[in-house]
Amino acid sequence: MKKKTTGKTRHVVAWMNKAEYEHVMEYLYSKEPALQKHALHRISAWKGRFGQSTPVAVESTADLVRCQVLDSTGQLEASDLVLLYGMALVRFVNLITERQQKKVARPLRRLAGKINIPEWVVNLRHDLTHRRLPSLKWCRKGCGFVLDWLHQEYWSRQMGSQLAEDWNSSSEEEDEEEIAKRHEIDLLSRQKEIEAHKKVRELLSSYEQEQFQTYEDLTKQGRQLDMWPDASADLSWILTQIKHFATEARNIFADVLMQDGFLIPTAEQLESLDIDPSEDSGDVFAPCLPRVVLHFWLPLLKVLNSSIFISLILDTLFAELMNEPSSHRTYYIASWISEILLCNSKSELKAQKRLKLSKERIFLNRLQFPWRNLISACVNAPCTATPFLLRQIFSDMDKPLPHDAQQNLLQLCSIYTQGYHGNSSPGPSDPAQPVYTLQNLQERLKRNAARNRDTHSSNHTPGSLQAPPTEELQEKLSTEAVQDRNSALRGSAWSVCTDKVPWKQYPLGKVPGQPEDPSCLMVESYSTFTVFDQQVEPDQLPQHHGNRSVSLQTRGASGSDGPLWTHSDLSKLKSGLKLF
Amino acid sequence: MKVHKVSSQSQHDQRNATKRHSKNKWHKKIRSLDSTLLNTSSGTAKLEQQLAKREKPTVKRLKKYAKPVTFIPENSCAKEGKVEATSVTFAHVHTNGGTELDDSSASVDSQEWSEYANSVLQNGMESSTLSDTDQQKEDDLQFHAHLDHTHNRAVLVMKQDQVLCFRGKCLLTCLYGHVEVLGFTIEEGQQPYPLFSPPSHCPLTIKAFGNNFGGSSKNKKEGLLEAKAIIRKFFSSEPSKKLMSEVDSDSCVVLLEPLDTPLTRFLSSFSELAEIFGLNSKEIKSQAAIYNPVLSAVGVTALRGPCAQGLVMSPSYREAISSLLSAWAGEFDRCPVILVCGGKSVGKSTFNRHLLNSLLNHTVSVEFLECDLGQTEFTPPGCLSLCTVTEPLLGPPFTHMRDPKHMVYYGQADCQADVDRYLESIKSLWRHVSGESPVIINTMGWIKGHGFQILVDLIRLLSVTHVVQLSYGNAPQCQLLTPEFLRTAHGWQTHPPTSTLTEEPASHLTIRSHIFLSVQSEFEGAGISGDMQYQRSNELRDLALLSYFSKLQSSEPGPIRPLHCFIPYQVPHSSVAIGVTHCEVAPNNILYVANASIVGLCCLSEKVVGRGGPVVLSQTPICQCVGLGVLRGVDMARGLYFLVSPVSPSVLRHVNCLLLGEISLPKVLLTKQHGIEGDLPYVTTDYSFEVQGAGKLHIYKGLIRPGFLKSND
């Protein structure tokens, strides 16, 4: 199956939308400690979502901004701050250059230079790790520079549109993995396809061999061609194999059948079927499949006779015809189309039923073709036989086109195809066309549309069949089911949501009435809950519970203002202390 | 091999009763002991001597097994099995069996055991003596199957000892004779079993064992007629002569049906997972598939050549399995507690499945304690659990998600961040072990440093009786966990008994020692984590999660519903506590983590009452988790969480705590949401990995990458 390559890869990120990303960026670089703190809190949530795949730049920015925020409080001493800044800076330089490291470790200075980080920042890192600690001034300077660098290199370039165009082409980092994976999948599917092609060719060749054998036997016995015997044991074995395989590889079958030497017989094959290959010029305006060829393929077509398969064959035939094949191919393609249409036509089926000629019937029941598509496919692939084929289609449509439309189309076609010889390709600006300007225009529009649709649908037939109808997707629960669930939940805080909400329209993470505002999920008030029924040592227990926070500030680490343990709390703690 | 089922109910009950009795006694002892062991590091050499006196048979055995990789000659082991087995009236109590073989003799059980032990050992011989001619090999790869078109099912006739190694999935019913799949024996008359052989794991093999008629020609003839009659029954028309001519009295007849479950339908609805039951790239490259239209019609692709080896069992592997089986057979006076450990990708979980299936041939249930957070067997990743297993495991973990007896949500795929919480969680699960069936403990592949200390702790804390340590290559990957080593090893929480305590007269304390079994993995690629599609550990974790959430799909065939299309449950913010297990999150931003994330649905014994707004946990509790859900949205105006979960409402009612972890929703569930117009939250096409610092923290492992070497120089 071909993988859709259209559209850019979707990535999962921690921000709900671009607005949230920009909101955080703005606050981080606002130079306003309260806003910066707000952004840091949001990044703590992002880290929770990203887990181990938090982008290095986001983490580094958060660390550095945290230092600035703490610095701005004026409560920390210079040496405290040097340690804080130091860690953030060391981590930044190490992590950002880590990607550049290859097999042989290279000096950070050179790696950093490549990504426009000046040497003094790297030296600052060296000072911090294994020389004398730099002064706070240097740390602040370094922090400021790095934050600007991050703003320029990451924050303002990310999620923008200027780079988004072709970033998919070259790879970096975790997408190396993704790309390798995709590559492997592609390779695999190609290999599978080749395998399948090989298998189909093998199957069809053995089928042909078997049929030639039968044909030779027939001619030796001098019997009538209509007297093809029932499938021999070997042939039916081949046919069952084909049948099994055809369900999974329908497209491949259609492709292979279209190759020379299968549905379109080669000169050699024709000779061995006693048909003069030079004769195939036949009547190019009304091609007709030699009966022997039909008999030759009839057992196979009977086996593969499903509406999906036959429509696919028709599509492929028309698509082939569009490629302006050689006259020999054109003739046989057109005659196969005609044969299929004929075999499926109302009158033919009736006649056969009457005559009980079940042998020559491909179809036991009439198949419904997508008639309008067929017409566009037919006019899309003009050849000398097009008017003939069109007429066949018209006569067999269930809801025929208005008579004058039919006539106009036919006339148009014959004008179009008249001067059509061999390889002289009819350009879109055919001089014969201006006569029917309006219709021509409509025709052309229709044709283009149909072409697009055609190329699309021929590539993705299985896919388009799979596309699920969205109407049925919404889960529907009967009132009893809802009642059952709710009665099982009775007494608890849970219930089934009974709002009349078309959930299928709301993706995960979105509910009706949710604003686009990036602050919409902020909690104004919350309560803290501490579980006591735990085997946790007392020093691990936080010193407070149930405090209410209204402002943006997190709960302080002040243990003294929490309430004291009650007697029952203590006994709970004691019982929880038992280790096993 | 021959398996007898003694289905005399009373006999079985009686045996069980006695066994239970003795076990309970033991169990109490274990309890008291464990607590003392923990609080005071105790135990002495003297005590061990006492123990030796008390449990003579055990200790004798111990000597034999104490040294690693001692090869026990095949016949001695078998003989031993016989001797031991005669003393026990062993009943085959697997519930699925309904058939009774009528030629049960007095020594049925001993025969069974010796034969089983033999067969386990002999299997290796067969594979090693592959001196068959090509013709014969070719013959073995001929699978005689016939498709019943009306019911779309296939009848497969297999010669005795014929092996079908395959990819794909199917439902297998044994119609005649018996077959073995991953250590589990399926006999005629048993229920159909689903088999899954996706490219992520070693392919499954179906091995045929015919009925043994002991050379009596009359029985053989009857058997043949019976087999043919069975085949006829399954076809409306006369089956092909070819098939019938293949039937022999000692051949096996199995029915294969296509398998279509909500799981398979859900997985195949993602284009990325289209080939999840196909071949892997190696098999495609080496053209290992045997084309058989009948088998492929039911979803099975037979393999040939080097890819069709199936499970490669080394002699030490077989030995370990057979001695663990005999441990359960009764020579041990308490239920075996088997801890399986070893490095990453060394075959732990396959060994576990094989062992579990083999045990299920002889017992109703096996308890499985999951201590591996990353590659869990029955639950989504990040969960520690205790499962009672009654059905065999005939596929990789993601094909048999089950509701565990007890579960704790740890929230991360490894335990490095909080080892204490990890160990406490396991201890809390251990309290629910019944002690009446064998216990298998699955451990992490983290065997270095603290990971090794944790193993030492687990062996001590869980009173393990058997340690199976898997390794590969010439040198073991870590210190062998022998009883001698344990006497001096330090764990994370536990410490070896100090010598000063030796003098204390503590007769009630006994230090039990375990039996150590070393298993050498000899399969190709042992110790190397798989790098083909579906084999990477993160892909397997995603598969486990997808499999878990596939339980939401209705069991009747119908459209596959994306997660967002389900009608959610709702609960007020103030009625459930919410917490993040893996990092510090500002409480006022907690909903930014929770929205569209996976939550562990947990039950706290305390009532949660908030005062408006979310109730944020101050630390991560260790509490029961009943399953996972997706917090599909938050209604800020009404203060409601909306949750989609396969957990049944009668269980959900007890949930009052939602734990958020690092286990994230598989990306496809967010990126592929059919029927949505407009942007998807948390999904973007604009994120560029070309920008500096856009990727995650890259841990440079210093691996040799030839591709890079050249470009550097």
Side-chain angles (χ1 to χ4, degrees):
Chain A
M1 217 185 280
K2 270 173 200 163
K3 223 178 141 250
K4 271 188 193 169
T5 43
T6 52
K8 289 174 241 159
T9 321
R10 292 175 169 191
H11 291 275
V12 175
V13 288
W15 42 93
M16 189 184 271
N17 46 31
K18 201 177 171 185
E20 189 181 338
Y21 174 87
E22 282 167 351
H23 170 80
V24 168
M25 172 168 72
E26 200 180 302
Y27 276 27
L28 278 176
Y29 286 94
S30 65
K31 303 226 159 43
E32 185 60 54
L35 297 183
Q36 283 181 317
K37 207 163 184 181
H38 177 90
L40 289 179
H41 287 168
R42 182 64 52 81
I43 288 180
S44 76
W46 286 5
K47 280 178 162 177
R49 295 192 80 85
F50 268 129
Q52 292 180 353
S53 46
T54 310
V56 166
V58 173
E59 205 167 331
S60 293
T61 314
D63 291 347
L64 291 162
V65 170
R66 185 175 301 278
C67 295
Q68 286 191 336
V69 172
L70 285 170
D71 198 350
S72 71
T73 57
Q75 287 175 353
L76 291 174
E77 289 169 31
S79 9
D80 299 349
L81 287 166
V82 170
L83 291 178
L84 285 169
Y85 277 119
M87 186 54 131
L89 285 167
V90 169
R91 276 183 72 79
F92 163 77
V93 175
N94 283 9
L95 298 185
I96 207 82
T97 52
E98 187 70 53
R99 287 280 168 194
Q100 315 272 320
Q101 287 285 14
K102 304 269 159 87
K103 173 89 177 62
V104 190
R106 286 185 297 172
L108 286 179
R109 184 171 33 86
R110 212 185 323 153
L111 298 175
K114 272 190 186 172
I115 48 175
N116 298 324
I117 296 174
E119 204 173 332
W120 69 267
V121 176
V122 179
N123 287 338
L124 196 58
R125 178 256 177 210
H126 291 332
D127 289 347
L128 283 159
T129 49
H130 33 241
R131 288 184 209 147
R132 270 185 52 197
L133 275 179
S135 65
L136 178 59
K137 231 178 183 172
W138 272 109
C139 286
R140 284 185 181 144
K141 193 174 152 68
C143 177
F145 176 85
V146 170
L147 279 176
D148 283 345
W149 185 91
L150 283 165
H151 187 258
Q152 208 170 9
E153 294 288 325
Y154 180 83
W155 290 96
S156 58
R157 299 180 82 188
Q158 199 55 270
M159 298 293 289
S161 49
Q162 73 271 33
L163 265 170
E165 301 309 318
D166 63 346
W167 67 273
N168 219 353
S169 54
S170 74
S171 62
E172 210 213 341
E173 42 194 284
E174 78 204 280
D175 265 35
E176 259 165 39
E177 211 174 89
E178 286 269 310
I179 284 166
K181 204 170 117 188
R182 216 174 302 140
H183 183 71
E184 192 193 320
I185 296 170
D186 283 353
L187 209 76
L188 271 186
S189 61
R190 214 173 308 139
Q191 205 142 12
K192 278 200 85 150
E193 213 168 295
I194 293 169
E195 284 278 298
H197 259 101
K198 253 199 324 220
K199 204 175 286 167
V200 168
R201 282 190 74 97
E202 264 169 39
L203 278 176
L204 288 177
S205 306
S206 51
Y207 170 85
E208 285 190 321
Q209 252 168 20
E210 199 61 41
Q211 282 292 80
F212 269 120
Q213 191 62 44
T214 325
Y215 175 76
E216 262 171 34
D217 291 351
L218 267 181
T219 43
K220 255 181 227 155
Q221 292 163 17
R223 278 205 274 172
Q224 282 266 302
L225 286 180
D226 289 350
M227 305 291 287
W228 279 65
D230 282 329
S232 65
D234 285 332
L235 186 66
S236 37
W237 169 240
I238 294 168
L239 284 174
T240 37
Q241 297 217 40
I242 289 178
K243 189 171 181 177
H244 284 308
F245 199 60
T247 44
E248 40 184 291
R250 213 175 276 129
N251 282 347
I252 294 168
F253 261 92
D255 281 353
V256 173
L257 279 174
M258 230 38 68
Q259 287 163 12
D260 273 328
F262 293 102
L263 281 190
I264 295 124
T266 59
E268 272 172 34
Q269 287 175 331
L270 284 175
E271 261 169 51
S272 43
L273 287 174
D274 286 331
I275 299 168
D276 185 0
S278 62
E279 214 176 77
D280 64 38
S281 40
D283 181 2
V284 288
F285 296 105
C288 175
L289 197 67
R291 290 296 93 184
V292 192
V293 179
L294 178 63
H295 280 293
F296 188 90
W297 287 106
L298 207 55
L300 179 87
L301 291 176
K302 275 186 183 169
V303 163
L304 297 181
N305 155 18
S306 69
S307 63
I308 305 173
F309 189 75
I310 296 294
S311 320
L312 182 66
I313 285 277
L314 273 180
D315 279 349
T316 335
L317 284 167
F318 277 122
E320 243 343 270
L321 207 52
M322 218 155 57
N323 295 339
E324 296 166 20
S326 67
S327 61
H328 172 77
R329 273 182 78 84
T330 311
Y331 180 79
Y332 274 97
I333 291 170
S335 52
W336 269 113
I337 296 173
S338 152
E339 192 61 46
I340 291 172
L341 290 174
L342 185 73
C343 286
N344 190 43
S345 68
K346 296 173 221 166
S347 48
E348 190 68 15
L349 279 170
K350 255 184 221 156
Q352 282 173 351
K353 249 178 210 160
R354 221 182 308 121
L355 296 171
K356 303 214 163 113
L357 280 174
S358 61
K359 275 218 154 167
E360 258 188 63
R361 280 163 59 189
I362 304 178
F363 308 107
L364 290 173
N365 295 308
R366 187 172 144 79
L367 301 177
Q368 271 312 323
F369 293 132
W371 295 108
R372 280 177 185 271
N373 287 358
L374 272 190
I375 293 174
S376 37
C378 189
V379 290
N380 256 326
C383 72
T384 42
T386 304
F388 173 72
L389 295 177
L390 265 185
R391 220 167 274 136
Q392 265 189 311
I393 296 175
F394 287 151
S395 67
D396 209 33
M397 282 173 80
D398 283 324
K399 285 180 198 149
L401 290 177
H403 186 70
D404 52 335
Q406 286 188 21
Q407 284 308 316
N408 285 341
L409 210 55
L410 275 176
Q411 206 162 352
L412 187 69
C413 260
S414 33
I415 290 167
Y416 189 85
T417 55
Q418 231 165 24
Y420 178 68
H421 293 296
N423 287 331
S424 70
S425 70
S429 56
D430 196 295
Q433 281 184 336
V435 184
Y436 297 93
T437 335
L438 189 61
Q439 270 158 342
N440 182 29
L441 201 63
Q442 285 170 340
E443 206 33 69
R444 180 109 47 98
L445 281 175
K446 198 166 149 195
R447 194 179 300 174
N448 288 339
R451 188 171 285 150
N452 291 339
R453 194 161 3 113
D454 255 35
T455 47
H456 185 79
S457 65
S458 61
N459 283 341
H460 295 288
T461 350
S464 56
L465 286 174
Q466 266 176 10
T470 42
E471 289 77 30
E472 300 165 26
L473 289 180
Q474 167 89 49
E475 185 189 34
K476 284 192 186 71
L477 292 175
S478 61
T479 41
E480 294 93 65
V482 173
Q483 265 168 14
D484 281 356
R485 286 191 189 185
N486 272 334
S487 67
L489 291 169
R490 193 157 299 138
S492 73
W494 294 86
S495 63
V496 175
C497 175
T498 47
D499 305 344
K500 292 270 175 283
V501 173
W503 288 107
K504 62 167 183 176
Q505 292 170 12
Y506 293 91
L508 296 180
K510 217 163 212 171
V511 294
Q514 185 171 320
E516 289 292 314
D517 173 23
S519 301
C520 64
L521 290 177
M522 284 292 287
V523 176
E524 278 159 19
S525 67
Y526 64 92
S527 37
T528 314
F529 188 79
T530 303
V531 181
F532 292 104
D533 190 18
Q534 293 287 312
Q535 301 104 338
V536 189
E537 283 146 56
D539 60 87
Q540 289 177 336
L541 282 173
Q543 303 290 299
H544 45 79
H545 64 135
N547 67 338
R548 196 178 165 98
S549 158
V550 188
S551 71
L552 285 177
Q553 297 216 316
T554 33
R555 48 189 171 79
S558 45
S560 52
D561 53 16
L564 293 169
W565 299 117
T566 62
H567 185 72
S568 70
D569 284 345
L570 278 174
S571 63
K572 263 185 184 173
L573 271 174
K574 275 181 192 160
S575 67
L577 265 175
K578 212 168 88 184
L579 276 167
F580 202 65
Chain B
M1 188 195 127
K2 187 171 160 188
V3 171
H4 282 289
K5 296 185 175 179
V6 182
S7 51
S8 133
Q9 194 59 36
S10 60
Q11 202 177 7
H12 157 211
D13 283 350
Q14 198 184 345
R15 179 183 163 273
N16 245 12
T18 54
K19 191 146 191 169
R20 193 171 296 145
H21 184 67
S22 63
K23 291 239 155 96
N24 279 346
K25 234 163 56 187
W26 246 113
H27 209 64
K28 265 183 219 149
K29 232 182 281 173
I30 299 164
R31 280 279 162 73
S32 61
L33 198 141
D34 284 338
S35 51
T36 45
L37 183 81
L38 272 173
N39 296 334
T40 66
S41 21
S42 54
T44 63
K46 213 175 184 181
L47 286 174
E48 257 173 71
Q49 275 175 357
Q50 285 176 339
L51 174 85
K53 263 181 226 153
R54 256 219 249 167
E55 288 177 68
K56 218 163 188 184
T58 322
V59 175
K60 213 157 94 193
R61 184 145 300 282
L62 216 154
K63 274 178 194 155
K64 186 156 207 168
Y65 285 93
K67 276 190 194 126
V69 216
T70 45
F71 183 72
I72 299 160
E74 185 199 326
N75 50 357
S76 84
C77 180
K79 217 162 93 191
E80 194 179 81
K82 199 177 248 170
V83 173
E84 237 88 47
T86 37
S87 60
V88 202
T89 342
F90 188 82
H92 184 147
V93 283
H94 193 255
T95 42
N96 312 315
T99 51
E100 208 175 321
L101 295 179
D102 41 7
D103 59 340
S104 48
S105 60
S107 60
V108 157
D109 300 312
S110 64
Q111 253 179 23
E112 176 192 2
W113 274 102
S114 64
E115 275 168 32
Y116 193 79
N118 258 330
S119 81
V120 168
L121 286 167
Q122 269 167 8
N123 280 344
M125 312 288 277
E126 278 161 38
S127 63
S128 59
T129 56
L130 262 174
S131 58
D132 306 3
T133 57
D134 282 351
Q135 178 56 42
Q136 211 166 348
K137 271 188 198 164
E138 195 89 317
D139 229 43
D140 278 348
L141 292 175
Q142 285 278 319
F143 295 107
H144 300 285
H146 195 278
L147 189 69
D148 178 8
H149 288 277
T150 43
H151 295 99
N152 196 25
R153 57 191 183 183
V155 169
L156 172 69
V157 175
M158 294 175 86
K159 280 181 301 195
Q160 184 145 27
D161 295 333
Q162 197 182 5
V163 171
L164 166 59
C165 182
F166 73 99
R167 287 287 181 214
K169 57 178 166 56
C170 66
L171 197 63
L172 179 140
T173 318
C174 188
L175 300 178
Y176 183 76
H178 61 272
V179 293
E180 193 189 287
V181 184
L182 198 59
F184 186 71
T185 310
I186 305 172
E187 288 187 322
E188 53 184 280
Q190 289 192 6
Q191 69 187 79
Y193 286 100
L195 310 188
F196 295 94
S197 183
S200 51
H201 288 70
C202 155
L204 283 186
T205 50
I206 303 171
K207 185 167 187 193
F209 295 95
N211 281 327
N212 193 348
F213 291 103
S216 147
S217 62
K218 197 191 160 204
N219 280 343
K220 268 191 178 172
K221 209 166 183 183
E222 279 170 10
L224 181 64
L225 288 175
E226 194 192 333
K228 288 193 172 174
I230 286 169
I231 295 177
R232 275 201 197 88
K233 222 168 64 186
F234 277 88
F235 291 105
S236 37
S237 58
E238 180 69 12
S240 75
K241 287 211 176 78
K242 218 171 166 184
L243 186 76
M244 291 307 252
S245 68
E246 284 302 321
V247 184
D248 200 1
S249 63
D250 57 2
S251 48
C252 270
V253 183
V254 292
L255 181 72
L256 303 177
E257 290 166 274
L259 190 58
D260 183 44
T261 62
L263 167 68
T264 63
R265 270 177 277 140
F266 187 59
L267 290 184
S268 52
S269 72
F270 299 102
S271 60
E272 291 87 347
L273 300 176
E275 291 299 322
I276 188 66
F277 293 109
L279 306 189
N280 67 29
S281 52
K282 198 176 132 206
E283 287 153 359
I284 291 177
K285 275 172 202 148
S286 57
Q287 308 200 335
I290 302 172
Y291 180 60
N292 184 319
V294 177
L295 291 183
S296 63
V298 291
V300 169
T301 312
L303 298 179
R304 68 176 156 220
C307 291
Q309 277 185 318
L311 183 61
V312 177
M313 290 184 277
S314 62
S316 53
Y317 184 107
R318 277 163 217 290
E319 237 175 81
I321 294 259
S322 82
S323 60
L324 290 170
L325 283 178
S326 38
W328 170 241
E331 52 184 286
F332 236 67
D333 60 351
R334 68 185 184 102
C335 271
V337 176
I338 304 157
L339 179 130
V340 181
C341 63
K344 290 187 180 75
S345 306
V346 77
K348 286 187 299 295
S349 69
T350 309
F351 182 89
N352 282 336
R353 284 194 283 277
H354 193 175
L355 173 64
L356 202 144
N357 289 342
S358 307
L359 283 168
L360 280 179
N361 286 330
H362 306 289
T363 177
V364 190
S365 72
V366 175
E367 287 189 280
F368 190 92
L369 181 69
E370 182 65 76
C371 301
D372 186 1
L373 289 161
Q375 303 302 328
T376 43
E377 188 71 41
F378 296 103
T379 64
C383 298
L384 297 165
S385 64
L386 177 70
C387 277
T388 305
V389 189
T390 55
E391 296 286 308
L393 310 177
L394 308 174
F398 73 88
T399 60
H400 48 248
M401 288 285 127
R402 307 225 168 117
D403 283 331
K405 192 163 122 186
H406 209 86
M407 178 157 80
V408 173
Y409 188 58
Y410 183 83
Q412 273 170 290
D414 62 66
C415 73
Q416 298 187 35
D418 195 347
V419 174
D420 281 313
R421 182 156 58 89
Y422 171 80
L423 285 172
E424 292 305 326
S425 305
I426 290 174
K427 284 187 215 165
S428 80
L429 290 174
W430 185 249
R431 280 185 223 126
H432 299 272
V433 168
S434 69
E436 278 160 32
S437 18
V439 184
I440 298 176
I441 301 166
N442 185 31
T443 59
M444 303 172 292
W446 183 29
I447 51 167
K448 298 264 156 75
H450 295 316
F452 187 72
Q453 291 192 323
I454 291 170
L455 280 179
V456 171
D457 279 339
L458 290 180
I459 294 173
R460 290 219 182 95
L461 294 171
L462 311 182
S463 49
V464 168
T465 63
H466 293 75
V467 172
V468 180
Q469 189 165 357
L470 289 98
S471 53
Y472 63 92
N474 297 323
Q477 283 70 50
C478 65
Q479 185 85 36
L480 296 178
L481 289 159
T482 57
E484 291 78 35
F485 176 73
L486 256 282
R487 231 163 267 150
T488 55
H490 285 268
W492 173 272
Q493 284 191 347
T494 64
H495 298 285
T498 46
S499 50
T500 49
L501 282 167
T502 343
E503 310 309 320
E504 266 178 46
S507 58
H508 66 286
L509 288 176
T510 47
I511 285 293
R512 284 146 303 117
S513 191
H514 63 267
I515 293 173
F516 178 75
L517 299 162
S518 173
V519 170
Q520 186 75 11
S521 289
E522 289 172 6
F523 60 91
E524 194 193 333
I528 303 162
S529 22
D531 56 352
M532 280 186 276
Q533 201 192 356
Y534 311 131
Q535 292 186 344
R536 300 171 187 100
S537 53
N538 56 336
E539 285 178 280
L540 290 173
R541 282 199 281 275
D542 277 359
L543 278 170
L545 284 166
L546 289 174
S547 167
Y548 182 79
F549 287 110
S550 77
K551 289 196 276 185
L552 277 164
Q553 303 293 330
S554 91
S555 51
E556 280 115 55
I560 288 301
R561 287 199 177 89
L563 283 192
H564 68 277
C565 292
F566 288 93
I567 293 173
Y569 294 101
Q570 65 183 42
V571 71
H573 290 168
S574 55
S575 310
V576 289
I578 191 161
V580 183
T581 62
H582 62 291
C583 63
E584 285 294 323
V585 175
N588 52 6
N589 275 274
I590 192 126
L591 298 184
Y592 284 89
V593 195
N595 195 23
S597 290
I598 288 184
V599 289
L601 305 172
C602 303
C603 310
L604 294 172
S605 50
E606 290 160 68
K607 195 169 164 56
V608 177
V609 190
R611 287 164 289 173
V615 183
V616 183
L617 285 166
S618 58
Q619 98 276 32
T620 308
I622 297 166
C623 53
Q624 189 182 7
C625 170
V626 295
L628 300 188
V630 176
L631 214 138
R632 74 98 65 229
V634 183
D635 188 326
M636 293 304 285
R638 289 186 290 164
L640 294 173
Y641 297 121
F642 290 120
L643 181 95
V644 170
S645 170
V647 168
S648 83
S650 55
V651 176
L652 187 67
R653 60 174 292 130
H654 302 294
V655 171
N656 57 0
C657 170
L658 307 176
L659 287 186
L660 294 154
E662 214 168 54
I663 307 302
S664 53
L665 208 55
K667 285 180 181 161
V668 279
L669 289 181
L670 284 173
T671 54
K672 300 267 161 75
Q673 300 189 52
H674 287 292
I676 301 286
E677 288 158 18
D679 291 340
L680 297 171
Y682 308 108
V683 173
T684 178
T685 54
D686 287 339
Y687 193 79
S688 161
F689 281 101
E690 275 193 359
V691 170
Q692 287 299 332
K696 63 179 171 191
L697 202 137
H698 184 254
I699 297 152
Y700 185 62
K701 286 181 189 131
L703 291 169
I704 293 159
R705 296 180 209 176
F708 287 125
L709 243 180
K710 267 186 191 160
S711 63
N712 269 340
D713 300 335

